[in-house]
Amino acid sequence: MSGETMLEVRNVSAGYGSFRALFDVSLEVKAGEAVAVIGPNGAGKTTLLRVISKLIPATSGEIRMTGTLLGPMAPDKVVELGIAHVPENRRLFPRLTVEENLRMGAYVPSARAKFRERLEFVYELFPRMRERRGQLAGTLSGGEQQMCAIGRALMSGPKLLLMDEPSAGLAPVIVQQVFRLVERIRAEGYTVLIVEQNVQQVLRVADRAYLLEVGGIRRSGSAAELLASDEIRQSYLGI
Ligand code: ATP
């Protein structure tokens, strides 16, 4: 089903109280694609992912997942539709073990029955997590924590992964490893929408990207086009 629209965000606005963080944002992600959303601090990137996951409501506009309108529904319904969110700063349960954290990713009813099978899948994908399965998540290295957070998201059996700044706060060598993880996820057939401040790296793993500035989409194009653009190079790549 590669090439079909998986996620469609149309004219979405959202905010916090009277503050508007997103204005009329439209974007789409096709099955099999990796799409990046880049932009400066405070542009609304995290807010965009929260709106898609229904962690905060849109004040206007529509979001569809494989054609199904995400109306007023609880976040667990969004998970059931095949969207998994890997939040900023990973948000693991530090006092739970790796395996207990992974179990938390399989909390929706449809995922519970497949827990064993998916756990095995995550452990095959990330052997390091099998080795560390009894370790408290709070004691994992930054890169391992990101692996655990991605693994937890995969436990719900998603089609689409929303990744919020997976490289944030990690040492450069670990950042490289995290982007390799993103490539692995793609190779497994997952569709990815990834928010990143590390523009250079993310444009190397993404097919397409949107530039979000002060709550609005300013530009979009293929990753290659954006990497070559003078505007992006000057503002975001420092070259
Ligand atoms: P960063 O890259 O720094 O994480 P971002 O692009 O992800 O930034 P958001 O976190 O989406 O940006 O924030 C967009 C705007 O909404 C910012 O002005 C921010 O201060 C504001 N904002 C975010 N969360 C809240 C909140 N819970 N309450 C009020 N305002 C918020």
Side-chain angles (χ1 to χ4, degrees), residues 114-130:
K114 298 202 167 143
F115 172 71
R116 281 283 145 209
E117 187 185 313
R118 288 199 183 133
L119 189 65
E120 195 48 38
F121 169 73
V122 169
Y123 284 158
E124 300 222 331
L125 194 60
F126 304 137
R128 178 74 65 92
M129 292 295 100
R130 192 196 300 274

Side-chain angles (χ1 to χ4, degrees), residues 15-17 19-22 39-48 50 56 88 164-165 195-197 212:
Y16 304 93
F19 176 75
R20 256 178 112 185
L22 292 178
N41 280 121
K45 303 181 300 295
T46 294
T47 303
L48 174 64
R50 287 190 189 138
I56 61 169
E88 202 169 11
D164 196 348
E165 301 223 20
V195 156
E196 259 297 336
Q197 287 204 43
L212 189 67

